[in-house]
């Protein structure tokens, strides 16, 4: 079992086949349809308004958070996607480290709020978000698919 002190958190910096495979191994635990390709990952790496923050145990990716900045007229906000920790690594404080790194990334970009969604069935995730100070916002979420 890994100790939390051995976990490092950093922005992703390469789109190698190994990195893509490791990300997809974690992503599939969030959604069976989730997968990233090397070109898509490279696009995020090169972006000034998006990042993938990863938690690593040695060279193995054990958690991730994708964050995007959205410009509004009055301010900027961040949108959190793909926040997940490997199922074998949960309960060790890795999510806390990822969350704090994401908040620091947002502060450095002068972002004042982070918005995200969470499926009702993800009760453990929702308890975590509440523990970190996030509040449920009353709104409806819509999706329009562009063909």
């Amino acid at each position: 079992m890994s100790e939390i002190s051995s976990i490092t958190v950093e922005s992703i910096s390469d789109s190698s086949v190994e990195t893509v495979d490791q990300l997809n191994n974690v992503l599939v635990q969030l959604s069976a349809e989730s997968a990233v390709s090397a070109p898509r990952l490279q696009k995020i790496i090169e972006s000034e308004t998006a990042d993938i923050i990863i938690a690593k145990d040695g060279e193995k990716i054990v958690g991730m958070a994708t964050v995007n900045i959205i410009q509004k007229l009055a301010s900027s906000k961040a949108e959190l996607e793909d926040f997940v920790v490997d199922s074998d690594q949960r309960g060790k404080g890795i999510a806390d480290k990822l969350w704090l790194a994401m908040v620091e990334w947002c502060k450095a970009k002068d972002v004042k709020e982070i918005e995200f969604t969470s499926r009702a069935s993800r009760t453990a995730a929702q308890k975590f978000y509440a523990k970190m100070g996030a509040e449920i916002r009353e709104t409806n979420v819509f999706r329009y698919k562009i063909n």
Side-chain angles (χ1 to χ4, degrees):
M1 189 182 309
S2 299
E3 296 296 321
I4 188 68
S5 61
S6 69
I7 302 298
T8 58
V9 179
E10 62 193 52
S11 290
I12 200 157
S13 59
D14 77 88
S15 57
S16 68
V17 171
E18 180 181 356
T19 299
V20 169
D21 287 347
Q22 287 191 41
L23 282 177
N24 285 331
N25 286 337
V26 175
L27 267 175
V28 73
Q29 296 174 46
L30 185 63
S31 172
E33 297 110 32
S34 294
V36 66
S37 65
R40 182 78 188 128
L41 180 56
Q42 190 60 40
K43 191 172 187 174
I44 294 169
I45 290 169
E46 293 170 0
S47 173
E48 292 183 22
T49 60
D51 202 0
I52 298 175
I53 300 166
I54 54 172
K56 294 174 78 174
D57 185 0
E59 293 302 311
K60 182 181 179 191
I61 296 172
V62 294
M64 63 172 292
T66 304
V67 62
N68 296 283
I69 297 174
I70 298 170
Q71 298 298 332
K72 302 187 312 181
L73 291 176
S75 63
S76 300
K77 69 176 180 178
E79 183 176 88
L80 171 63
E81 291 287 335
D82 310 322
F83 190 88
V84 62
V85 172
D86 186 290
S87 60
D88 293 337
Q89 301 291 326
R90 293 181 187 156
K92 299 179 181 179
I94 295 169
D96 295 56
K97 280 186 136 180
L98 269 173
W99 183 271
L100 295 174
M102 177 194 60
V103 168
E104 288 304 312
W105 184 89
C106 288
K107 285 180 181 178
K109 303 283 187 180
D110 199 31
V111 170
K112 304 295 185 211
E113 65 181 24
I114 302 165
E115 291 191 347
F116 52 94
T117 61
S118 180
R119 277 184 252 132
S121 63
R122 297 189 66 223
T123 54
Q126 291 168 21
K127 286 179 185 175
F128 169 78
Y129 297 139
K131 176 185 95 168
M132 300 311 282
E135 299 173 346
I136 294 175
R137 184 175 152 206
E138 292 296 322
T139 190
N140 293 320
V141 177
F142 291 85
R143 175 178 294 146
Y144 176 79
K145 293 188 177 187
I146 300 171
N147 296 327

